[in-house]
Amino acid sequence: MGLEIERKFLVHTGKLPALPGLGSKELLRQGYLASDPWVRIRLRSVMDRWRKGYITIKSRGTLVRAEYEYEIPAKDAEELLGFCKGLISKTRYPIRKSSHVWEIDEFHGPLQGLWLAEVELQRENEDLVIPEWVGTEVTEDVRYSNAYLVEYGIPSV
Amino acid sequence: MGLEIERKFLVHTGKLPALPGLGSKELLRQGYLASDPWVRIRLRSVMDRWRKGYITIKSRGTLVRAEYEYEIPAKDAEELLGFCKGLISKTRYPIRKSSHVWEIDEFHGPLQGLWLAEVELQRENEDLVIPEWVGTEVTEDVRYSNAYLVEYGIPSV
């Protein structure tokens, strides 16, 4: 098991630096095979230079979650996305800032217009330098979880 | 993806031959992370000579099902069983008969007393020699699926 400690923020897109291009950015397509009260099972197809697939089991929680992730054949991931209730498509740009790597997600399709920034921490109370292009924290706002977004769309407020 | 074609039967336990012992039989513990209308996600911990773990995604269906199975660390499987709604524990004995391998499952715990025999086929209409210890076919009887058994127990009729 891994323990995932992750904070999530809105993004001031006008203040973003130049985003990394091909070779660094990834195109992610993901969906949920199950989104039960206690556990979520995510399928993800990643396209960077190569195509990869992952199945991930996450316990519920916002800041801290148990996470089990396994790489699976890309072809299986594509097929299994067909079993998911809805799909999210987004481009992920990694940006290093001080000692952290921020992942900027630009959503596509029905979620076009939404940008989110995530940063993974080693400890819950770890110091974090917040760049100027990072907006309101939404770590504890379940409406910004991908499982909610795929079902309900962009939150109205 | 694999396509799983499997027939399932009750067992006349009094007519069973000597069952294989250590080295062939396996102790299986399994549970379901999700059991939705369209898909089931099974966690399984297998103890034969070694301890192994698997995560399996199966489409719904009785005789023919899409199946995706991945080996995962045994320790992860044990931990993930803790996320499952209920657990099934059974000993599996493989018995070769003509060109098929039958898997005889002896259930434990709340399902003690139940025995089932499964045989995997290459084609739906494949010839099959039915041994004398094989009873009523229950392939299409969803009450004998493991996901139902874990929730509702041994069928009353």
Side-chain angles (χ1 to χ4, degrees), chain A residues 1 32-36 38-39 41 43 55 57-60 66 68-73 75-77 79-80 83-85, chain B residues 1 32-36 38-39 41 43 55 57-60 66 68-73 75-77 79-80 83-85:
Chain A
M1 180 189 68
Y32 292 85
L33 276 181
S35 187
D36 283 331
W38 60 95
V39 71
I41 299 153
L43 256 298
I55 184 167
I57 298 111
K58 295 181 183 226
S59 69
R60 276 294 170 98
Y68 301 79
E69 185 160 78
Y70 309 104
E71 188 165 350
I72 64 173
K75 185 170 167 295
D76 287 11
E79 290 175 12
L80 284 165
F83 288 97
C84 294
K85 286 168 239 184
Chain B
M1 180 190 68
Y32 293 85
L33 276 181
S35 189
D36 283 330
W38 60 94
V39 72
I41 298 155
L43 256 296
I55 185 167
I57 298 113
K58 295 183 182 224
S59 69
R60 276 293 170 99
Y68 300 78
E69 186 161 79
Y70 309 105
E71 188 167 350
I72 63 173
K75 186 170 168 292
D76 287 12
E79 290 175 13
L80 284 166
F83 289 96
C84 295
K85 286 167 238 185

Side-chain angles (χ1 to χ4, degrees), chain B residues 4-19:
Chain B
E4 185 191 48
I5 307 174
E6 199 171 63
R7 293 176 66 181
K8 187 184 290 193
F9 301 83
L10 300 182
V11 176
H12 298 307
T13 49
K15 296 181 183 171
L16 275 175
L19 293 170

